[in-house]
Amino acid sequence: MNTVAASIPVLRWAADRSRLTETELQIRFKKWNQWISGEAKPTLRQLEKFAGHTHTPIGFFFLPEPPNLSLPLPDFRTVYGKDQGDPSPELLDMIYICQQRQDWYKEYARLHGLEPLEFVGSVNLDADPKSVASRIRSTLLFSTEERSVLSNWSAALRLLVSRAEDAGILVMASSVVGSNSHRKLDVEEFRGFALADPNAPLVFLNGSDSKSAQMFTLVHELAHLWLGETGVSDTQAGWIPNNKTERWCNAVAAEVLMPMSEISLPRVDRQNLSVEVDRLARAFKVSTLVVLRRLYDAGHIDRETLWKSYRSEQEKIQEILERKGKGGDFYRSLGSRVSKRFCHAVVSSTLEGMTSFSEAFRMLGIRKNSTFYETAKKVGVWQ
């Protein structure tokens, strides 16, 4: 049996980058320990299987050292100067998919004479976050009064996404790469990214995050669009990033979701802090993490209380996420995954003969004609 001299450092790098545990590796690849120790070499077929499982180009395994991979767009994913390391194959592939969708939509916008969106790149970092937040709320018609009567965070997020799409922004959210349920996106690696373009602004949200946290991420990425800045973020309401752009976007997002002028409270009793936080979260339909950050900004709690309470709330939210049920309506999730605006454009373009069915299937992540036509009915372009 012919074997190949695969680079041991690259084998280890590929496994680490794909976040595979030693147990998973040993189950899938029986001679993994021998490959890493140099006692044995994989066959070409085994190496191809390993390359496919780690989503690594097979040519990489013949390099003496791992390649230096970087994101194809600016990386804002740093917290207190800590680098995030090599991007996972899942993050890279999700960015490439969204870039392809954006390129398609830019051409669609050109062919249909759609006007560039004036708000993209309309401000800079010298602008007052409160003023920019007011502009965003005005553009999206997203008021706290309207949110207060909604039933829950999910309803508030749906409203926010709908208003953003009405304004011309492609909003996509998924917990997996494309439609591959075996390739999950890690919320510890990133929470969202923005692809700024006046004709096809796009925001992607990591659907593995909680709905309330996705709201903050979405508005944070909207702030990036108003700046005209493309980039990947791993932002949270309670963090105070070193990066000036991320601090500014956090400040804008917090002000959009919970305007300081509407927080009129006496100094909060720390003994009853959790009760007050829950009340405000329900009133503004934001996460408890956003509430804690705003109470800190308003001077109602100190930094120590912020971090202690913030960590506690994170643990609660993680428990809820782990208990969360899966499933749901396929066509509704398709609209969320690829953006209703994008889905409508692709379907109508295909039915007009401007886009091939194979390209439409690829961009929408579907495989059957019946699914395509049912999708066409759902988005209102087919009877």
Side-chain angles (χ1 to χ4, degrees), residues 13 37 127 149 172 187 242 279 302 305 349:
W13 168 82
S37 67
V149 299
M172 305 178 183
V187 75
N242 290 333
R279 183 187 71 78
D302 58 26
T305 303
S349 177

Side-chain angles (χ1 to χ4, degrees), residues 330-331 334 361 365-376:
F330 169 80
Y331 297 99
L334 175 63
F361 283 18
I366 58 180
R367 298 179 180 179
K368 299 178 181 179
N369 284 339
S370 59
T371 305
F372 175 85
Y373 284 109
E374 184 61 28
T375 300

Side-chain angles (χ1 to χ4, degrees), residues 110-333:
R110 185 187 69 81
L111 291 173
H112 287 77
L114 301 183
E115 293 292 329
L117 300 172
E118 294 182 356
F119 59 77
V120 178
S122 61
V123 303
N124 57 43
L125 290 176
D126 293 329
D128 177 20
K130 290 185 179 180
S131 174
V132 177
S134 178
R135 291 196 204 182
I136 293 176
R137 285 196 302 269
S138 177
T139 300
L140 272 55
L141 304 175
F142 190 67
S143 67
T144 54
E145 293 82 7
E146 189 174 16
R147 271 183 285 152
S148 66
V149 299
L150 296 176
S151 58
N152 52 41
W153 292 331
S154 294
L157 177 61
R158 286 195 298 271
L159 176 65
L160 178 57
V161 169
S162 177
R163 295 293 169 78
E165 294 233 313
D166 288 345
I169 301 166
L170 306 176
V171 181
M172 305 178 183
S174 180
S175 60
V176 299
V177 178
S179 56
N180 188 341
S181 61
H182 299 291
R183 299 190 66 192
K184 298 187 181 301
L185 300 173
D186 185 0
V187 75
E188 294 298 321
E189 182 179 23
F190 82 107
R191 294 177 185 272
F193 56 80
L195 303 179
D197 183 274
N199 295 299
L202 186 152
V203 168
F204 180 84
L205 305 175
N206 189 335
S208 299
D209 215 350
S210 67
K211 297 297 184 184
S212 54
Q214 286 179 49
M215 280 189 67
F216 186 84
T217 300
L218 174 51
V219 186
H220 176 99
E221 301 303 341
L222 291 178
H224 273 283
L225 295 183
W226 256 255
L227 284 173
E229 290 267 6
T230 287
V232 180
S233 302
D234 182 24
T235 187
Q236 294 189 55
W239 289 351
I240 306 175
N242 290 333
N243 182 280
K244 182 179 180 180
T245 299
E246 290 297 89
R247 284 201 309 274
W248 187 90
C249 290
N250 270 7
V252 171
E255 181 66 20
V256 168
L257 294 174
M258 205 170 169
M260 190 64 73
S261 61
E262 298 182 27
I263 307 175
S264 54
L265 299 171
R267 184 159 295 277
V268 176
D269 180 0
R270 295 182 188 178
Q271 299 300 320
N272 298 310
L273 179 61
S274 61
V275 174
E276 188 62 17
V277 166
D278 287 341
R279 183 187 71 78
L280 289 170
R282 288 192 300 272
F284 285 92
K285 295 300 181 299
V286 296
S287 76
T288 52
L289 305 179
V290 172
V291 174
L292 286 167
R293 173 57 190 270
R294 294 308 267 166
L295 291 179
Y296 169 76
D297 291 339
H300 293 303
I301 59 175
D302 58 26
R303 183 181 286 263
E304 182 181 353
T305 303
L306 168 65
W307 287 117
K308 182 178 179 180
S309 302
Y310 197 90
R311 285 193 295 269
S312 175
E313 290 299 322
Q314 280 183 312
E315 291 172 0
K316 290 179 185 177
I317 290 173
Q318 186 57 39
E319 289 176 4
I320 293 172
L321 284 174
E322 291 172 356
R323 296 196 304 266
K324 184 177 66 175
K326 303 296 181 182
D329 180 79
F330 169 80
Y331 297 99
R332 175 179 290 182
S333 64

